[in-house]
Amino acid sequence: MNTVTALSTGAAPFQPESAPDYLPAAILRELQLGRLRSIVERAWSAVPLHRSRMKERGIEPGDLQSLEDIAALPFTTKADLRDTYPFGLFASPMRDIVRLHASSGTTGKPIVVAYTREDVDVWTSVMVRSFATCGLHAGDIVQNAYGYGLFTGGLGAHYGAEGLGATVIPISGGNTDRQIMVMKDFKVTAICCTPSYFLHLLDRAAQMEVNVAELPLRVGVFGAEPWTDSLRRHIEAAAGIKAYDIYGLTEITGPGVGIECVCQAGLHIFEDHFYPEIIDPDTGRLVAEGEEGELVLTTLSKQAMPMIRYRTRDITAFVPGSCPCGRTLRRIRRISRRSDDMFIIRGVNVFPSQVETALLAVEGMLPHYQIILTREAGLDQLEVQVEVTPPVASDRVAALESLHNKLAHALSQTLGLRVKVRLVAPQTLKRSEGKAQRVLDRRNA
Ligand code: ADP
Ligand code: ZN
C-alpha cells in the first residue's frame, strides 16, 4: 500500500508532522546512523560517565561505521542515573536547559532528566505524531487526566495535544466526579490516563448514572503501566471507545516513544529519535528477530541528556513484517511485563499480567484486583483479592461460591500454583489515580 492510500483509509486527516513515519527504510537507517554518530560524540565529549565507559571498552565515537556497531557501546542503567543524581548525566549547561522532570523510581532518590528547548520540541513532535497515529486531529477535545508536575505524563500529553491543534482540558489526575462531569458537559472525544484510572472512572460514572458509552468519547490513549489485551477488550466494550496503548519512559523523554496505530497490531516506535534494540537480559546479546527480550533504547537527538543503550527492563519483541497502515516505523508488542516485576512464589515465577489475564477470562469479573504476598510458617502464600460486580455481590451464597471456585481454578491453571482467592465487595480495593500498585509484598513485614 502506498502512503497516500494508507492515509486515505485512516480515520484522521494527514498530520504533516507525521511525514517521518513513512520514510523508506534505507533513508531512515541513514538518518539514524548520522544522528547516532553525533549523539555519541556529544555524550563522549560532555558526559564523563559515558566517556569513561567507552574508554573501558576501548571504543571511540569515530569507530561507529554502521548501525550494527552500536552493539559495541556500553549499556546505561537506572543505577547510573541514581549514582549521578541529580545532574551528573547532563550534557548541556544549565543555561541551555529549559525543563527538568523527575520520576519517582521505586526506591529512594528520584531520577532527574533535563530538556533543552530543542528537546522539548522533539518531545512535542513525537507526541503530536502519537496522537495522529491513533486517529486524533484538530477538533478533538482531549481530557488530559495524566498527572501534571514532575511526572512526564501530564505535560508530555499536554504539549502534544496542543501541537496537534486539538483542544486540551488540562484536568490532571484525581477528583473523579469532576472528571466525569467534564467528560460529559465538555463533550470530550478523547481521554489520556492510565488504564487502571480509566477503569475507576468507568465505575464511578456507572454509580453516577452516566453511561460513558453514550457520550461522544471515542478514543482512549492509555499508558504508563502494563495492561493486557483482555483489559483493552473489556474497556472498549464497556466504554464504546477505541483504546490505544502508548509507551514511554522518563529516562528517554517521557510518553511518546511509541504508540499503536489504528491497526492495533503493535506499537510503532518513533525510530528517527529513539533507536530500539531487544536483548537477552542475561547475556546482553541481541535476540533473534521476533523473539522476546528486554528493550534497549538510544536517544538519537536528545541534547541535554543523551541516553546510550538504556536498559528499560521492559520485556517485548519486535513485530515482524510491515504494518497495513503504511508506516515504515518498526513495531514492538505491547509491554507484557518488566523484567523486575516478577515475583517468585514457592519457586514459581509469577507476573501480575498473568493474574489479570486469568481473572478477565472468567465471566462477570471486574478487573479490580490486588495481589498480596505473605509468609506463613516460612511458606510463601499468594492471595488474590478480587472485587465482585454489584449484581454478583447480591447473588446467593451458592453463586458466590461457584464464582470463587472458578477464579481459583483459572488462577491455578494459569500460574501453575495454588492461589488463595478472596472475593471482596464492590468498591473496597484502593483505587489509583496514576499507576496502579498491583502487588503488596508483605513477606518481610
Ligand atoms: P512515564 O511518565 O512515561 O510513566 P516513568 O518513567 O514513570 O514514565 O515510567 C516508565 C515505565 O512505565 C516504563 O519503563 C514501563 O515499565 C512503564 N510503562 C510506560 N508505558 C507503558 C505501557 N504502555 N505499557 C506497559 N508499561 C508501560
Ligand atoms: Zn501501523
Side-chain angles (χ1 to χ4, degrees):
M1 192 189 299
N2 69 30
T3 307
V4 177
T5 5
L7 294 170
S8 62
T9 55
F14 180 63
Q15 161 51 250
E17 212 132 2
S18 297
D21 297 7
Y22 302 92
L23 283 177
I27 295 180
L28 177 60
R29 302 288 162 245
E30 210 172 297
L31 177 94
Q32 287 177 314
L33 180 59
R35 288 188 176 168
L36 177 68
R37 284 172 145 162
S38 58
I39 213 70
V40 170
E41 181 65 55
R42 184 177 180 88
W44 166 280
S45 53
V47 185
L49 179 125
H50 290 310
R51 185 169 53 245
S52 64
R53 290 275 169 83
M54 284 189 245
K55 278 188 170 161
E56 276 165 27
R57 294 196 146 214
I59 47 172
E60 292 187 4
D63 297 339
L64 286 172
Q65 297 301 317
S66 72
L67 277 175
E68 287 69 48
D69 293 339
I70 195 172
L73 293 172
F75 293 116
T76 312
T77 65
K78 206 180 221 49
D80 294 327
L81 280 118
R82 252 186 251 122
D83 295 346
T84 53
Y85 175 87
F87 303 154
L89 291 184
F90 291 9
S92 300
M94 203 53 87
R95 68 168 178 281
D96 293 340
I97 290 174
V98 301
R99 178 98 65 83
L100 298 177
H101 275 286
S103 146
S104 52
T106 41
T107 47
K109 289 260 167 68
I111 53 149
V112 183
V113 295
Y115 306 76
T116 63
R117 159 73 31 222
E118 201 182 328
D119 294 336
V120 171
D121 291 346
V122 167
W123 185 19
T124 300
S125 79
V126 291
M127 279 306 294
V128 168
R129 289 161 67 185
S130 296
F131 287 136
T133 302
C134 64
L136 300 192
H137 46 77
D140 268 309
I141 302 178
V142 181
Q143 179 164 354
N144 185 14
Y146 279 123
Y148 281 66
L150 279 179
F151 175 68
T152 53
L155 285 179
H158 182 102
Y159 275 56
E162 254 185 33
L164 182 73
T167 309
V168 192
I169 305 170
I171 192 162
S172 195
N175 202 340
T176 307
D177 288 9
R178 192 178 57 179
Q179 300 266 2
I180 292 160
M181 181 190 79
V182 163
M183 182 184 287
K184 183 164 166 264
D185 295 349
F186 295 12
K187 302 191 169 43
V188 165
T189 60
I191 185 163
C192 308
C193 59
T194 58
S196 57
Y197 187 57
F198 188 69
L199 280 177
H200 176 42
L201 273 175
L202 283 181
D203 276 5
R204 185 69 195 129
Q207 286 172 353
M208 291 163 69
E209 291 177 358
V210 173
N211 182 356
V212 175
E214 284 171 1
L215 301 182
L217 189 72
R218 95 170 198 275
V219 170
V221 183
F222 302 127
E225 66 186 11
W227 54 307
T228 57
D229 214 43
S230 333
L231 183 54
R232 184 223 302 274
R233 286 193 294 273
H234 171 93
I235 288 178
E236 290 191 339
I241 61 169
K242 281 284 180 192
Y244 296 101
D245 191 10
I246 185 165
Y247 171 73
L249 61 167
T250 310
E251 296 87 325
I252 297 302
T253 195
V257 171
I259 191 166
E260 288 177 324
C261 65
V262 293
C263 307
Q264 295 181 321
L267 289 83
H268 287 284
I269 299 284
F270 295 109
E271 288 185 89
D272 47 330
H273 295 296
F274 315 111
Y275 186 81
E277 300 171 88
I278 295 181
I279 63 162
D280 176 330
D282 298 323
T283 64
R285 284 201 215 96
L286 293 186
V287 299
E289 186 73 23
E291 264 177 39
E292 205 175 61
E294 177 182 341
L295 180 66
V296 169
L297 291 167
T298 299
T299 58
L300 295 177
S301 45
K302 202 137 189 274
Q303 299 296 302
M305 194 166 161
M307 274 294 162
I308 310 290
R309 303 193 84 204
Y310 183 70
R311 293 191 59 159
T312 64
R313 300 274 162 204
D314 294 325
I315 304 293
T316 183
F318 282 119
V319 176
S322 53
C323 185
C325 77
R327 286 182 180 75
T328 50
L329 303 170
R330 273 186 294 176
R331 289 166 295 162
I332 57 166
R333 293 214 299 255
R334 61 165 61 240
I335 308 287
S336 55
R337 54 194 165 89
R338 293 179 52 82
S339 65
D340 50 10
D341 75 356
M342 183 186 81
F343 49 90
I344 303 179
I345 292 285
R346 304 197 289 270
V348 179
N349 297 350
V350 179
F351 290 96
S353 58
Q354 294 176 293
V355 172
E356 184 171 304
T357 306
L359 291 179
L360 284 165
V362 175
E363 235 167 288
M365 276 336 299
L366 267 187
H368 292 297
Y369 64 96
Q370 174 96 68
I371 299 167
I372 297 166
L373 311 181
T374 51
R375 188 165 288 155
E376 285 166 29
L379 204 62
D380 288 349
Q381 305 289 344
L382 170 63
E383 175 175 302
V384 180
Q385 297 188 349
V386 193
E387 268 182 23
V388 295
T389 52
V392 174
S394 57
D395 269 353
R396 279 168 308 126
V397 175
L400 286 175
E401 221 175 82
S402 141
L403 176 65
H404 176 275
N405 294 344
K406 267 194 222 161
L407 288 174
H409 180 72
L411 284 165
S412 318
Q413 288 289 309
T414 309
L415 306 180
L417 188 81
R418 213 170 45 77
V419 177
K420 202 160 133 194
V421 172
R422 195 142 76 90
L423 297 181
V424 298
Q427 304 300 326
T428 42
L429 295 178
K430 190 167 168 271
R431 299 290 192 264
S432 79
E433 291 180 350
K435 295 186 195 239
Q437 212 205 342
R438 297 294 191 194
V439 184
L440 283 182
D441 194 344
R442 297 200 181 124
R443 282 178 294 183
N444 293 315

